[in-house]
Amino acid sequence: QVQLVESGGGLVQAGGSLRLSCAASGRTLSVNTMGWFRQAPGKEREFVAFITWRTGATYYADSVEGRFTISRDYAKNTVYLQMDSLKPEDIAVYYCAASRSGYVSRKYEYDYWGQGTQVTVSS
């Protein structure tokens, strides 16, 4: 099992920045890809970004490309999501997820999930 704990959510004004963290513990050697997803009220959970654990390759949803940056600290078993130029449409609960597969962006391809952290953007 892999346990994931997110932190860093909060309230920010439009145009501002937040950095989310996701600390992984447990059987982390089984993890190939770490991802961030988000779920807005009344909407499906959607992919935001992923990073491959060992090589650091990244991939982003079109809606966040150029504004969000995913990174990882291999020694700390922690993944980050730097969110800049935040917009009201970024309001959601953000979830960290871990997959035993590589280069995956569909939620059913992820095996472990954190509890989520709320991001609110005021206009």
Side-chain angles (χ1 to χ4, degrees):
Q1 291 292 323
V2 175
Q3 294 77 43
L4 304 172
V5 178
E6 302 102 330
S7 60
L11 172 65
V12 64
Q13 287 189 328
S17 298
L18 281 174
R19 189 176 81 154
L20 306 182
S21 299
C22 173
S25 60
R27 297 175 61 91
T28 56
L29 288 178
S30 68
V31 173
N32 274 302
T33 305
M34 296 290 293
W36 286 97
F37 289 75
R38 66 186 182 185
Q39 188 167 15
K43 294 189 176 181
E44 294 285 324
R45 191 171 299 188
E46 65 175 6
F47 168 77
V48 174
F50 76 63
I51 186 165
T52 56
W53 196 236
R54 290 170 183 80
T55 67
T58 60
Y59 180 71
Y60 298 90
D62 289 344
S63 57
V64 307
E65 177 85 57
R67 299 188 298 122
F68 291 9
T69 304
I70 189 170
S71 61
R72 89 261 193 254
D73 186 325
Y74 197 72
K76 294 183 178 179
N77 282 342
T78 299
V79 173
Y80 304 98
L81 186 68
Q82 177 67 41
M83 305 185 294
D84 298 319
S85 303
L86 281 161
K87 306 175 182 179
E89 48 263 47
D90 294 317
I91 294 173
V93 177
Y94 283 70
Y95 296 90
C96 175
S99 174
R100 295 189 295 264
S101 302
Y103 299 89
V104 290
S105 61
R106 297 178 180 84
K107 52 184 182 286
Y108 69 82
E109 294 172 310
Y110 283 78
D111 306 291
Y112 308 100
W113 293 85
Q115 81 288 352
T117 185
Q118 177 71 47
V119 171
T120 302
V121 184
S122 63
S123 56

